[in-house]
Amino acid sequence: MASNALSRLANLHRHFHITKSSTKGGGNDNATVGTIKISQEVTTALANGKAVVALESTIISHGMPYPQNLETAKEVETIVKEKGAVPATIAILEGIPCIGLNAEELERLAKLGTTARKIARRDIAHVVATRGSGGTTVSATMIFASMVGISIFVTGGIGGVHKHGESSMDISSDLTELGRTPITVVSAGVKSILDIPRTLEYLETQGVSVVAYQTDDFPAFFTEKSGCKAPSQLDTPEDCARLIEVNRKLELKSGILIAIPIPKEHSVSGNIIESAIQTALREASDKGITGSAETPYLLSRVNELTGGASLESNIALVKNNAAVGAEIAVALAQIQDHGASSSS
């Protein structure tokens, strides 16, 4: 496993200049274009075949206000560490994709808040070229994690097909990224502001393996159940790790979605959340809010309409996902280490 990780890093170095710190100034305006910065902790973990968990950063920049966003980010990283894995929060800062943020970088992004860019696949080149800063969405985080050989990525909930998406064609790039990038995304299912049945259909079209964790009812972010039957079910971190390893060995080149129900004690009443969602959707339509601005608006408005209950649930489910995702990452590292030992 260690030799495989070193090989991945060597291959990446041929395409990018990996540096431990950003290089500002100096005369050549193009000096940092194409640079990827990987923290020493993440580099060492990958080289030694240790468990690493990627974390997205739009939850920091766009998910909640400062300082709650910074506190939550630190708490999530701590949970990953306590479970035996290395957290790798991913963002773009001053035009440099960063994999594994230090305390100063986390705080800088948290203070930027919604003035930072919200970065999906389509935005990466522009943000890097213009030396911008922003939080990476699911799709962008998957890309950078895959580049350096991180197999597991934890988030709150993925994007999907928006309500009335059959006419608006508003479909998150998270779904197509899952179809093309071999990363396992651990989430609380699909955000409940979206069209969950159509999202599951689209994931099937993309060839994405969708697994519900310890349930056969696909989770709906704020609530444990969506009413949609999950395509498959697994019940332990070890089972999930075996699925990920088989997907890798077969070179299917597509992602996996592991959907974890929000803990029951943090679940928001289905009627309350559905009423708030419908109100927020109507208001977004009346105000002409669409595209990448729609999801942050809807989540913020639903939080207001539920008296803060949805944000509390959001934080709780992210922490739960981080714990389970780290357990899966540790189990995967053990499987791969055993396989490497057996073949040597």
Side-chain angles (χ1 to χ4, degrees):
M1 174 59 187
S3 60
N4 289 340
L6 286 169
S7 175
R8 285 196 299 269
L9 289 173
N11 181 60
L12 178 62
H13 199 281
R14 285 195 293 271
H15 295 84
F16 298 93
H17 169 57
I18 300 175
T19 180
K20 298 298 185 297
S21 60
S22 58
T23 52
K24 292 188 271 188
N28 183 358
D29 286 343
N30 295 318
T32 59
V33 174
T35 297
I36 287 183
K37 175 176 174 284
I38 307 177
S39 74
Q40 184 60 57
E41 185 178 20
V42 172
T43 300
T44 301
L46 289 172
N48 291 310
K50 302 300 183 184
V52 180
V53 174
L55 301 167
E56 53 115 328
S57 51
T58 51
I59 192 171
I60 302 172
S61 59
H62 292 75
M64 57 194 74
Y66 180 85
Q68 193 172 26
N69 55 355
L70 179 60
E71 293 166 359
T72 301
K74 289 180 177 179
E75 288 168 359
V76 169
E77 288 199 346
T78 297
I79 289 169
V80 172
K81 290 177 182 178
E82 288 175 345
K83 291 292 184 178
V86 174
T89 300
I90 295 175
I92 297 179
L93 297 174
E94 297 179 359
I96 298 177
C98 300
I99 301 174
L101 302 186
N102 60 35
E104 184 274 328
E105 290 165 338
L106 274 176
E107 183 158 7
R108 195 192 326 167
L109 182 63
K111 286 182 174 178
L112 281 173
T114 55
T115 63
R117 292 283 299 274
K118 183 182 177 186
I119 305 167
R121 170 183 273 271
R122 70 170 186 180
D123 310 301
I124 292 172
H126 184 266
V127 174
V128 170
T130 58
R131 301 181 188 276
S133 296
T136 50
T137 63
V138 169
S139 64
T141 306
M142 287 179 70
I143 290 167
F144 289 122
S146 179
M147 281 181 178
V148 298
I150 299 174
S151 300
I152 295 175
F153 158 43
V154 166
T155 185
I158 67 166
V161 180
H162 280 253
K163 304 282 188 181
H164 313 297
E166 69 277 13
S167 56
S168 69
M169 295 301 292
D170 192 349
I171 300 171
S172 171
S173 62
D174 296 355
L175 305 187
T176 48
E177 203 60 51
L178 273 161
R180 70 169 78 171
T181 304
I183 292 289
T184 295
V185 178
V186 177
S187 80
V190 176
K191 294 184 177 77
S192 45
I193 56 175
L194 305 170
D195 188 326
I196 294 176
R198 282 193 171 91
T199 298
L200 289 172
E201 288 288 347
Y202 197 90
L203 286 167
E204 179 185 5
T205 300
Q206 292 293 314
V208 178
S209 178
V210 176
V211 175
Y213 189 72
Q214 299 181 348
T215 180
D216 64 353
D217 194 312
F218 189 77
F221 197 61
F222 293 126
T223 57
E224 299 167 87
K225 300 179 179 180
S226 66
C228 299
K229 184 173 175 57
S232 56
Q233 174 182 341
L234 292 174
D235 297 318
T236 69
E238 292 74 22
D239 289 342
C240 295
R242 280 191 287 272
L243 172 69
I244 296 166
E245 181 64 0
V246 168
N247 190 66
R248 182 190 70 82
K249 286 184 174 179
L250 292 176
E251 298 184 352
L252 296 178
K253 298 184 175 20
S254 55
I256 296 170
L257 175 64
I258 298 177
I260 304 172
I262 183 172
K264 189 176 184 63
E265 64 271 22
H266 297 293
S267 180
V268 182
S269 166
N271 291 335
I272 292 174
I273 202 72
E274 185 58 30
S275 174
I277 289 170
Q278 292 305 320
T279 298
L281 285 167
R282 285 195 301 272
E283 292 177 356
S285 177
D286 292 343
K287 294 178 179 180
I289 299 172
T290 60
S292 62
E294 185 175 22
T295 295
Y297 171 82
L298 291 175
L299 290 175
S300 175
R301 187 67 181 118
V302 167
N303 182 54
E304 292 173 4
L305 293 168
T306 59
S310 70
L311 180 56
E312 291 176 9
S313 295
N314 194 352
I315 293 171
L317 66 84
V318 169
K319 290 179 179 179
N320 186 58
N321 294 347
V324 178
E327 290 172 352
I328 295 170
V330 169
L332 179 62
Q334 290 171 347
I335 287 173
Q336 292 177 336
D337 181 61
H338 178 74
S341 298
S342 299
S343 62
S344 61

